[in-house]
Amino acid sequence: MKWEGRRQSSNMEDRRGMGTTGKVVAGGGLIGIIVLLLNLFGGESAQNLTPILEQLQQQQSTSAPAQPLSKEDEKMGMFVATVLADTEDVWHKIFKENGMTYKEPSMVLFRGSVQSACGGATSASGPFYCPADQKIYMDLDFFDELQTRFGAQGGDYAIAYVIAHEVGHHVQTLLGTSGKVRQLQQNLSKTEGNKLSVALELQADFYAGLWTHYNSKYLEEGDIEEALSAAQAVGDDAIQKKMQGHVVPDSFTHGTSEQRVKWFGKGFKTGDIRQGDTFAALN
Ligand SMILES: [Zn+2]
């Protein structure tokens, strides 16, 4: 993807410099410390935080020099911020065309483990979107695993696809689709509920393809293949085969490799948001 030198989103929260034990390891500065405190003490009042804040500031000034992010880490941060900016441009346009206003999500970069309004998570859970705080959480090391463990070919557009998929969940939240699905699932069996989860996930893939359609002026050779390879690698059937050696279709929550590739492709080819009714298609 052609990304260097272009606009980067300002909706970024970089927590990669922070340890998972609650100690500030990199020069996150005051903002970093406040973010950390909010994580640790989400519900507590401001006066309770003040002494801890002072304590942490002292701790930071006396501790060993912080370890800065590597050049590669910095570059990766710039790349994902550019992709996020591109999703903002495209979704503002699509929402406007449909008489609506797009509200931008934020992206949190972390390492190890993280706290979100949806609860705590570790790198093992992979990138995710939390509707409660409208933030996308990403441990960028996940993409190494996508290659080494799940056999995706990698490349920058594999990452762009995953970000666009998570932004797709944000769009579903804004449009009320996710809320409706969660409500319906309360009265359904596990198997029937899983089918709705699959439709939701495939629609996020469709939205990732749709975004790529609108953003195609920045595509480079091989980008679409990278996205399709990533979509293929994260299919439920592919993952189950890798993890347990066999496939249990009723337990699918994201769709098969074939379905994921198909819906990404449909969004990319049509560029038409009305073609993305994955719910009707599954019945
Ligand atoms: Zn998803």
Side-chain angles (χ1 to χ4, degrees):
M1 184 179 145
K2 295 171 206 146
W3 68 274
E4 266 158 304
R6 296 204 290 107
R7 183 176 83 84
Q8 295 172 27
S9 173
S10 53
N11 299 312
M12 298 293 300
E13 232 179 86
D14 202 337
R15 300 188 201 162
R16 287 177 296 174
M18 296 173 183
T20 54
T21 53
K23 217 181 123 196
V24 180
V25 277
L30 192 60
I31 293 170
I33 293 171
I34 290 167
V35 170
L36 179 75
L37 282 171
L38 288 176
N39 284 340
L40 291 173
F41 308 101
E44 286 187 40
S45 60
Q47 64 260 38
N48 288 345
L49 294 182
T50 318
I52 308 162
L53 184 65
E54 282 161 5
Q55 215 180 316
L56 262 176
Q57 276 171 320
Q58 281 165 7
Q59 197 183 319
Q60 197 189 31
S61 57
T62 51
S63 61
Q67 206 185 346
L69 294 174
S70 71
K71 274 252 155 36
E72 206 176 309
D73 290 336
E74 298 275 8
K75 198 173 167 188
M76 196 66 155
M78 278 155 48
F79 170 68
V80 296
T82 308
V83 173
L84 187 62
D86 283 349
T87 66
E88 290 162 0
D89 293 344
V90 167
W91 283 108
H92 273 302
K93 185 176 147 73
I94 296 174
F95 269 60
K96 209 173 160 197
E97 280 171 3
N98 289 281
M100 293 178 292
T101 309
Y102 182 63
K103 188 178 172 286
E104 298 170 356
S106 301
M107 186 188 286
V108 178
L109 301 180
F110 72 98
R111 243 180 212 144
S113 64
V114 74
Q115 279 300 323
S116 78
C118 299
T122 66
S123 315
S125 50
F128 68 99
Y129 170 75
C130 170
D133 57 20
Q134 306 204 343
K135 290 178 184 178
I136 294 159
Y137 292 83
M138 303 247 295
D139 180 340
L140 297 173
D141 294 339
F142 165 77
F143 296 101
D144 297 331
E145 199 174 350
L146 196 62
Q147 270 176 279
T148 53
R149 209 148 157 223
F150 296 106
Q153 72 180 59
D156 63 358
Y157 217 80
I159 301 170
Y161 152 72
V162 171
I163 294 170
H165 172 98
E166 298 307 335
V167 170
H169 285 313
H170 174 64
V171 169
Q172 291 171 324
T173 299
L174 296 182
L175 296 179
T177 321
S178 318
K180 243 181 265 169
V181 163
R182 256 183 291 278
Q183 213 169 14
L184 285 170
Q185 279 174 329
Q186 288 176 352
N187 301 311
L188 291 173
S189 68
K190 184 103 179 123
T191 304
E192 291 302 312
N194 282 348
K195 277 188 195 161
L196 288 181
S197 294
V198 168
L200 207 59
E201 291 300 328
L202 293 179
Q203 192 176 56
D205 285 334
F206 172 83
Y207 287 156
L210 187 72
W211 168 73
T212 301
H213 174 93
Y214 277 82
N215 220 44
S216 55
K217 59 177 177 284
Y218 301 121
L219 286 177
E220 288 176 316
E221 215 184 309
D223 280 349
I224 296 299
E225 287 74 16
E226 286 167 13
L228 294 176
S229 170
Q232 168 93 29
V234 292
D236 282 324
D237 51 343
I239 289 179
Q240 286 189 354
K241 236 178 256 166
K242 269 246 146 75
M243 307 299 280
Q244 60 197 38
H246 62 277
V247 169
V248 187
D250 276 354
S251 69
F252 286 177
T253 53
H254 287 70
T256 62
S257 299
E258 194 191 334
Q259 287 174 315
R260 302 199 71 163
V261 164
K262 182 187 127 187
W263 282 100
F264 175 88
K266 194 171 184 188
F268 175 57
K269 267 183 230 138
T270 63
D272 178 6
I273 193 166
R274 275 162 290 272
Q275 305 284 323
D277 191 350
T278 52
F279 296 90
L282 286 184
N283 282 323

